[in-house]
């Protein structure tokens, strides 16, 4: 007996591809659109962003970003933790600029407690110093990764080399490179060690030379200019209507920076410029960040030249843990220490919204408190999320290779978008 | 870059596959003539090449650290945060009193402190201090809140293992007194003082128990406390 042969997929393919079946050309022009899936694990999408592209040939007609692959429920976690316990969690939002995330959160809590003006000058000064170092570090990673997306291999090595110095400074200061958890509600965790100031001096000296090298290596490179100029043009009106912020907004000709508009943590004492470009394309966004690094370096220089003396913690032991030697010598502070460690402090009833200028844009924290040691609601206003939302509007009509350049120039971090 | 001048952005509607799509167009980099472009490109190429070559020629700029080879000479900052340890007092006892403040302060429940009634002192004392390195974020909160300075974070960072269960440590494997103190006691008290403690236990998930979908570890049954020190 000969068993009937079961058709395999190869046979089916042969049957389709043989000449007796003719494929009819469709007359509907909509059939030319092909859907292409980019991500979620794609080296150019900076994390786990998934883009569904509708392409006509090589030209993009529609982009739909799909987010949520890195969702960790941090906003909800914040409602189940005391205010101090949530600080290590904020490190994981924008994992390239954790200190800025810490700062955004603790400024919100300090505003809720009404102790914004009582923070010691030294603590505020050091917060500015470390925020600006963090901004340089975050922009250096952006410089390296966006250049590697465009095919330039070497900038990331130079960028990481500079960033390594900043990471060493953080390691020396707070013991960790990225998950710093250094800022506290009401000051800093501890004072900076003496060894860190020479390290910052050395970094500034090296970085000044490096910025000129980046100018030669990257910014003035004709290949890079060809890849970025005129790509992903974002007009002023579109940027404002999509609520963009940070370098993306400033590249479109809007002079808005929270550090100047609503100074926090003593930024009004520093002299710096806000780079603004009018073109709104990817190259303008590139130049804004390159100029911002230069400005940040000047702020760091001003900061280390005149660090005020004094304590780094507010003199209220019911809000911040005092130093160990004070705890063990004073009964009242020991009681406060136990209450603060076991339960946390009681926040007053109210709601606050406070923003900072993070390296990606305007980062805000909205806190609703109904009393007690935990917030009733914690909402994070994420700049990367809003900057990403403009992607479909600016990438229609460009090529697939251009969308890589556009994502690189938007500088998104998925940890902050999904949080 | 003075060679390129921008004109204003244009917005127009183009048709792709029969559908109108709003497109914003900016000027491309094509204002230069071909000879100027070639000269500009070559100059920029040479600048980039020269930068790389200059770094190659000056060995003082080498930043590579040959990590596994330089293990003995690695320098850590004083505040470096890695493996958690209990500290001892001058008699060799752990300073920890089992007050559980670190357990309350931990943001993600990585610490479990189990207390018991002491066989000799008849007071509440620390039985087992369980630290889950697999979920620890090294935020240093436990060290900050400890009122007795009983905890510190060492610079011991090489903790890679093949099974996640091996990352759950019992920090006080031997909590008995030192030999000098033991020698001064009579036999019965000495035995009580040296009462063996479970190297590992407590009310945390995956705590040494075999899981149905995970194979048993080779050799002795899962005893993570043994694998903690290299």
């Amino acid at each position: 007996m000969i068993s009937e042969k079961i058709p395999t997929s190869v046979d089916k393919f042969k049957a389709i591809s043989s000449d007796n079946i003719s494929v009819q050309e469709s007359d509907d022009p909509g059939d030319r659109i092909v859907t292409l899936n980019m991500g979620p694990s794609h080296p150019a999408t900076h994390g786990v962003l998934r883009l569904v592209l509708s392409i006509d040939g090589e030209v993009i007609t529609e982009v739909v970003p799909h987010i949520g692959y890195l969702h960790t429920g941090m906003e909800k976690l914040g409602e189940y933790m005391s205010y101090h316990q949530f600080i290590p969690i904020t490190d994981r939002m924008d994992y390239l600029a954790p200190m800025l995330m810490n700062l955004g959160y603790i400024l919100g809590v300090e505003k809720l407690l009404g102790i914004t003006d009582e923070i010691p000058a030294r603590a505020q000064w050091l917060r500015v110093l470390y925020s600006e170092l963090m901004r340089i570090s975050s922009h250096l990673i952006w410089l390296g990764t966006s250049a590697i997306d465009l095919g330039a291999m070497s900038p990331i090595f130079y960028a990481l080399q500079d960033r390594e110095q900043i990471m060493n400074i953080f390691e020396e200061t707070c013991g960790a490179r990225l998950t710093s958890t250094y800022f506290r509600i009401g000051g800093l965790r501890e004072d900076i060690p003496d060894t860190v100031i020479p390290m910052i001096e050395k970094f500034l000296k090296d970085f000044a030379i490096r910025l000129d090298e980046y100018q030669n290596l990257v910014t003035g490179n004709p290949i890079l200019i060809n890849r970025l100029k005129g790509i992903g043009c974002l007009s002023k009106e579109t940027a404002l209507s999509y609520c963009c912020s940070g370098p993306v907004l400033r590249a479109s000709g809007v002079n808005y920076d929270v550090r100047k508009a609503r100074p926090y943590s003593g930024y009004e004492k520093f002299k710096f410029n806000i780079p603004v470009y009018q073109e709104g394309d990817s190259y303008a966004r590139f130049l804004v960040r390159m100029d911002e690094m230069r400005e940040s370096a000047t702020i760091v220089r001003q900061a280390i030249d005149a660090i005020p003396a004094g304590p780094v913690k507010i003199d209220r032991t019911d809000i911040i843990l005092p130093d160990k030697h004070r705890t063990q010598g004073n009964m009242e502070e020991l009681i406060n220490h136990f209450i603060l460690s076991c339960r946390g402090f009681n926040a007053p009833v109210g709601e606050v919204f406070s923003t900072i200028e993070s390296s990606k844009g305007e980062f805000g924290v909205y806190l609703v408190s109904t009393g007690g040691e935990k917030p009733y609601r914690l909402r994070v206003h994420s700049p990367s999320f809003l900057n990403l939302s403009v992607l479909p509007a600016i990438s229609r009509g460009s090529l697939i290779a251009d969308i890589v350049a556009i994502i690189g120039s938007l500088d998104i971090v998925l940890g902050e978008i999904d949080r | 870059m003075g060679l390129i001048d921008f004109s204003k952005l244009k917005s127009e509607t183009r048709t792709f596959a029969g559908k109108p799509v709003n497109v914003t167009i900016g000027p491309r980099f094509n204002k230069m003539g071909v000879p100027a472009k070639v000269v500009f490109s070559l100059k920029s190429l040479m600048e980039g090449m020269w930068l790389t070559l200059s770094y190659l020629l000056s060995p003082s700029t080498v930043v590579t650290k040959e990590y596994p080879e330089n293990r003995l000479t690695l320098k850590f900052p004083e505040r470096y945060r890695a493996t958690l340890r209990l500290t001892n007092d001058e008699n060799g006892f752990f300073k920890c009193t089992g007050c559980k403040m670190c357990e309350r302060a931990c943001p993600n429940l990585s610490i479990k402190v189990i207390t018991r009634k002491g066989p000799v002192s008849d007071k509440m004392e620390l039985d087992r201090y369980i630290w889950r390195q697999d979920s620890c974020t090294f935020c240093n909160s436990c060290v900050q809140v400890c009122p007795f300075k009983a905890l510190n974070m060492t610079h011991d960072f090489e903790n890679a293992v093949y099974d996640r269960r091996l990352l759950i440590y019992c920090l006080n494997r031997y909590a008995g007194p030192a030999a000098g103190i033991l020698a001064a006691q009579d036999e019965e008290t000495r035995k009580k003082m040296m009462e063996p403690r479970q190297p590992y236990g407590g009310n945390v998930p995956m705590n040494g128990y075999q899981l149905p979908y995970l194979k048993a570890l080779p050799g002795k049954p899962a005893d993570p406390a043994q694998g903690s020190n290299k």
Side-chain angles (χ1 to χ4, degrees):
Chain A
M1 274 184 73
I2 302 160
S3 62
E4 201 177 319
K5 198 188 174 193
I6 302 163
T8 61
S9 58
V10 177
D11 295 334
K12 280 180 189 167
F13 177 73
K14 277 179 186 167
I16 292 166
S17 58
S18 61
D19 289 341
N20 54 1
I21 299 169
S22 63
V23 180
Q24 280 202 334
E25 284 282 334
S26 169
D27 294 333
D28 184 9
D31 284 358
R32 284 174 56 197
I33 303 257
V34 178
T35 306
L36 182 73
N37 207 6
M38 186 175 171
S41 49
H42 187 279
T45 54
H46 293 254
V48 281
L49 172 66
R50 176 174 161 227
L51 299 172
V52 177
L53 313 172
S54 300
I55 47 171
D56 176 12
E58 187 80 1
V59 184
I60 290 160
T61 60
E62 188 56 273
V63 185
V64 182
H66 287 240
I67 58 170
Y69 287 89
L70 207 57
H71 180 68
T72 38
M74 284 180 198
E75 289 182 0
K76 201 69 191 168
L77 269 176
E79 296 164 19
Y80 288 89
M81 287 181 178
S82 69
Y83 291 98
H84 271 297
Q85 273 183 328
F86 189 63
I87 297 172
I89 312 292
T90 56
D91 285 336
R92 275 84 183 162
M93 274 190 223
D94 183 353
Y95 41 77
L96 297 179
M99 285 211 189
L100 291 167
M101 300 293 110
N102 287 350
L103 183 64
Y105 175 69
I106 61 165
L107 284 179
V109 181
E110 280 170 5
K111 199 171 171 184
L112 180 68
L113 294 169
I115 54 168
T116 312
D117 301 331
E118 300 167 36
I119 307 298
R122 186 177 173 87
Q124 291 200 355
W125 203 270
L126 290 173
R127 278 178 186 178
V128 170
L129 169 61
Y130 279 93
S131 297
E132 292 307 316
L133 281 174
M134 201 79 244
R135 195 185 311 279
I136 295 174
S137 151
S138 172
H139 282 349
L140 281 171
I141 282 283
W142 157 82
L143 172 68
T145 51
S146 68
I148 217 169
D149 288 347
L150 300 171
M153 195 68 190
S154 36
I156 191 157
F157 298 123
Y158 296 110
L160 285 179
Q161 196 177 329
D162 282 350
R163 182 172 171 271
E164 185 65 25
Q165 287 197 29
I166 302 180
M167 289 292 115
N168 285 340
I169 291 165
F170 290 160
E171 210 173 14
E172 189 77 28
T173 312
C174 59
R177 293 159 62 83
L178 278 176
T179 55
S180 49
T181 325
Y182 183 49
F183 301 154
R184 286 284 187 278
I185 299 158
L188 305 175
R189 197 180 80 198
E190 52 203 330
D191 206 345
I192 54 167
D194 299 334
T195 47
V196 86
I197 296 295
M199 289 169 84
I200 300 173
E201 294 266 9
K202 182 176 178 300
F203 165 72
L204 285 176
K205 204 176 133 200
D206 293 354
F207 192 60
I209 303 165
R210 266 307 162 74
L211 275 170
D212 295 337
E213 287 180 2
Y214 292 139
Q215 181 70 31
N216 288 340
L217 191 69
V218 191
T219 317
N221 192 303
I223 301 170
L224 186 107
I225 296 171
N226 262 318
R227 288 293 304 272
L228 293 181
K229 194 144 273 190
I231 301 296
C233 292
L234 175 63
S235 66
K236 197 174 180 176
E237 292 74 29
T238 318
L240 286 171
S241 66
Y242 276 85
C243 194
C244 291
S245 56
V248 177
L249 184 65
R250 290 195 284 277
S252 295
V254 184
N255 188 353
Y256 176 70
D257 190 312
V258 186
R259 290 176 291 174
K260 286 273 188 200
R262 289 190 297 279
Y264 55 90
S265 194
Y267 263 108
E268 64 274 7
K269 293 169 195 159
F270 295 90
K271 281 178 192 164
F272 59 99
N273 303 318
I274 303 296
V276 179
Y277 284 79
Q278 302 296 329
E279 291 84 18
D281 59 354
S282 297
Y283 191 59
R285 293 194 275 276
F286 190 96
L287 293 176
V288 166
R289 291 205 181 86
M290 295 303 283
D291 289 358
E292 249 183 36
M293 281 199 271
R294 213 174 275 272
E295 293 299 327
S296 290
T298 63
I299 298 176
V300 174
R301 164 56 62 194
Q302 292 170 43
I304 58 167
D305 280 348
I307 301 178
V312 293
K313 290 177 181 178
I314 188 171
D315 194 20
R316 280 182 61 177
T317 47
D318 57 334
I319 286 176
I320 186 167
L321 286 174
D323 293 335
K324 278 280 166 63
H325 62 91
R326 281 181 66 187
T327 311
Q328 287 172 337
N330 190 334
M331 191 63 205
E332 192 192 343
E333 289 188 1
L334 186 64
I335 293 168
N336 271 333
H337 181 103
F338 266 84
I339 292 172
L340 190 55
S341 309
C342 297
R343 214 175 55 206
F345 53 79
N346 283 329
V349 180
E351 53 185 274
V352 291
F353 181 64
S354 96
T355 56
I356 63 156
E357 182 74 23
S358 111
S359 59
K360 312 289 183 294
E362 186 174 7
F363 174 83
V365 167
Y366 176 60
L367 278 164
V368 183
S369 164
T370 53
E373 61 269 12
K374 291 168 188 168
Y376 173 76
R377 175 81 171 95
L378 168 69
R379 157 98 184 122
V380 173
H381 172 95
S382 156
S384 293
F385 178 73
L386 297 160
N387 289 347
L388 178 68
S389 69
V390 87
L391 178 70
I394 62 175
S395 56
R396 283 188 202 112
S398 55
L399 305 178
I400 294 177
D402 292 340
I403 201 161
V404 173
I406 294 171
I407 295 170
S409 74
L410 288 178
D411 189 20
I412 50 167
V413 163
L414 268 293
E416 188 192 5
I417 292 173
D418 295 337
R419 57 196 183 278
Chain B
M1 301 309 303
L3 290 165
I4 309 112
D5 57 326
F6 280 95
S7 57
K8 292 215 166 172
L9 300 181
K10 284 186 290 181
S11 266
E12 63 176 51
T13 308
R14 286 186 186 173
T15 311
F16 292 112
K19 282 184 191 166
V21 172
N22 292 326
V23 173
T24 317
I25 304 141
R28 298 301 294 258
F29 178 58
N30 49 10
K31 299 275 175 180
M32 269 193 281
V34 172
K37 215 183 230 177
V38 167
V39 170
F40 182 50
S41 304
L42 276 179
K43 183 171 160 279
S44 160
L45 186 70
M46 293 312 287
E47 273 174 355
M49 290 285 191
W50 172 247
L51 182 68
T52 313
L53 193 69
S54 66
Y55 273 99
L56 182 71
L57 293 178
S58 55
S60 64
T61 55
V62 171
V63 290
T64 311
K65 286 183 182 172
E66 296 179 358
Y67 157 58
E69 286 82 21
N70 69 353
R71 200 180 264 163
L72 294 175
T73 55
L74 268 183
K75 274 185 189 169
F76 289 97
E78 199 184 330
R79 296 176 178 177
Y80 189 78
R81 313 202 296 254
T83 313
L84 189 68
R85 283 279 173 271
L86 287 173
T87 51
N88 299 80
D89 59 10
E90 61 272 15
N91 292 329
F93 287 99
F94 288 121
K95 283 185 191 168
C96 181
T97 57
C99 69
K100 300 195 184 186
M101 289 217 330
C102 42
E103 189 181 322
R104 281 164 177 268
C106 185
N108 48 9
L109 313 175
S110 298
I111 292 173
K112 178 84 186 168
V113 181
I114 300 165
T115 51
R116 63 164 185 183
K117 195 161 239 186
V120 178
S121 59
D122 208 28
K123 285 179 185 169
M124 290 304 278
E125 63 176 33
L126 177 70
D127 185 15
R128 294 186 297 279
Y129 191 102
I130 289 154
W131 174 54
R132 301 194 52 171
Q133 196 188 12
D134 53 348
S135 65
C136 181
T137 62
F138 300 95
C139 66
N140 216 11
S141 293
C142 45
V143 182
Q144 299 276 314
V145 301
C146 185
F148 307 105
K149 296 183 184 171
L151 287 164
N152 75 337
M153 281 196 159
T154 58
H155 300 172
D156 187 7
F157 71 100
E158 293 166 321
N159 298 305
V161 286
Y162 280 106
D163 193 330
R164 196 183 164 193
R165 291 173 296 181
L166 296 176
L167 291 171
I168 307 175
Y169 296 132
C170 180
L171 294 189
N172 56 339
R173 260 156 288 144
Y174 177 72
I181 298 172
L182 277 176
Q185 311 293 332
D186 62 37
E187 187 124 350
E188 203 168 315
T189 320
R190 200 183 303 156
K191 251 184 195 170
K192 272 185 182 174
M193 281 176 137
M194 285 184 64
E195 186 190 350
R197 296 180 185 194
Q198 287 177 24
Y200 181 72
N203 190 17
V204 280
M206 290 217 307
N207 197 3
Y209 301 111
Q210 306 263 330
L211 296 175
Y213 51 86
L214 262 178
K215 270 188 190 172
L217 296 165
K220 286 168 78 178
D223 188 1
Q226 299 299 319
S228 63
N229 267 344
K230 291 179 300 294

